[in-house]
Amino acid sequence: DAKTTQPTSMDCAEGRAANLPCNHSTISGNEYVYWYRQIHSQGPQYIIHGLKNNETNEMASLIITEDRKSSTLILPHATLRDTAVYYCIVRVAGGGNKLTFGTGTQLKVEL
Amino acid sequence: DAGVTQSPTHLIKTRGQQVTLRCSPKSGHDTVSWYQQALGQGPQFIFQYYEEEERQRGNFPDRFSGHQFPNYSSELNVNALLLGDSALYLCASSLAAGGGYTFGSGTRLTVV
């Protein structure tokens, strides 16, 4: 699996958009970009994934650059409950392929 | 629809002892993966079970072993516990055919 690079921490004001960047310059053509988050003392939670097109669901939007070497997770209206560690992972799709976690980005949403 | 269930939630063991952790996958899922998460680190892949066999393994010693039952539930066994085995152990289930992972809340193991 390709390696990812994320900032260690970020702060965001409640109600504002949180934009979390991820670099994955060695991504292969068949690797997807996945985002998970982990709220303190809980298991990781799936957020969104994409291959090359931008994706949106009820939780977030995923913007992938045209060269696929980086992406941004956008939480459009961050709340205090979005405070968590956010992990960007690249992997080949398929239920048998493991997730390789880095250290992620600690997002702190404040009043 | 029940998600992934892990037991126990917390456990304290003495160095040298053995421990068994249990996981029930999300309804409909057939694959179970185990991860170890040390404090301040991301989860690290231990192994994955499908059709009652270990399909993939991460960089963990043989002291870590597992099992999957016909009902897809799974156990993680760790022998000869070391202080460094203290961690949050996460179980994740998925469908071999595709789709994402669903994680349990984990078992917090403390080795003293």
Side-chain angles (χ1 to χ4, degrees), chain B residues 15-82:
Chain B
R15 200 170 32 174
Q17 284 189 314
Q18 179 264 345
V19 69
T20 297
L21 310 182
R22 295 176 175 83
C23 173
S24 293
K26 180 179 178 180
S27 178
H29 283 180
D30 56 11
T31 301
V32 173
S33 303
W34 287 91
Y35 289 78
Q36 179 195 64
Q37 186 173 23
L39 202 60
Q41 302 296 316
Q44 299 299 305
F45 175 74
I46 302 175
F47 43 52
Q48 182 183 86
Y49 277 83
Y50 171 64
E51 291 187 332
E52 303 180 47
E53 291 188 1
E54 183 181 294
R55 294 295 173 139
Q56 296 183 67
R57 189 178 183 91
N59 188 26
F60 279 81
D62 292 345
R63 298 187 297 109
F64 289 76
S65 64
H67 189 77
Q68 186 180 36
F69 299 93
N71 67 353
Y72 307 117
S73 67
S74 177
E75 290 181 348
L76 164 65
N77 301 292
V78 186
N79 295 322
L81 284 167
L82 304 174

Side-chain angles (χ1 to χ4, degrees), chain A residues 49-87:
Chain A
H49 75 283
L51 183 62
K52 55 182 179 180
N53 297 320
N54 298 338
E55 302 288 344
T56 296
N57 63 19
E58 65 278 5
M59 290 182 68
S61 295
L62 174 61
I63 309 298
I64 303 174
T65 58
E66 192 169 344
D67 63 7
R68 302 211 319 124
K69 293 184 177 182
S70 66
S71 61
T72 300
L73 178 74
I74 301 173
L75 308 178
H77 305 287
T79 71
L80 298 177
R81 284 181 292 185
D82 292 322
T83 293
V85 178
Y86 287 76
Y87 295 100

Side-chain angles (χ1 to χ4, degrees), chain A residues 34 36 38 41-46 87 91 93-103, chain B residues 31 35 37 41-45 48 56 88 90 94-96 98-101 103-105:
Chain A
Y34 285 76
Y36 283 76
Q38 188 173 23
S41 296
Q42 296 183 21
Q45 175 191 24
Y46 166 81
Y87 295 100
R91 65 184 277 263
N97 295 302
K98 68 181 189 294
L99 297 171
T100 301
F101 289 85
T103 52
Chain B
T31 301
Y35 289 78
Q37 186 173 23
Q41 302 296 316
Q44 299 299 305
F45 175 74
Q48 182 183 86
Q56 296 183 67
L88 180 68
L90 295 161
S94 59
L95 267 174
Y101 284 79
F103 282 83
S105 295

Side-chain angles (χ1 to χ4, degrees), chain A residues 31-49:
Chain A
E31 287 183 313
Y32 286 70
V33 180
Y34 285 76
W35 283 84
Y36 283 76
R37 74 179 183 183
Q38 188 173 23
I39 296 170
H40 184 62
S41 296
Q42 296 183 21
Q45 175 191 24
Y46 166 81
I47 301 173
I48 198 168
H49 75 283

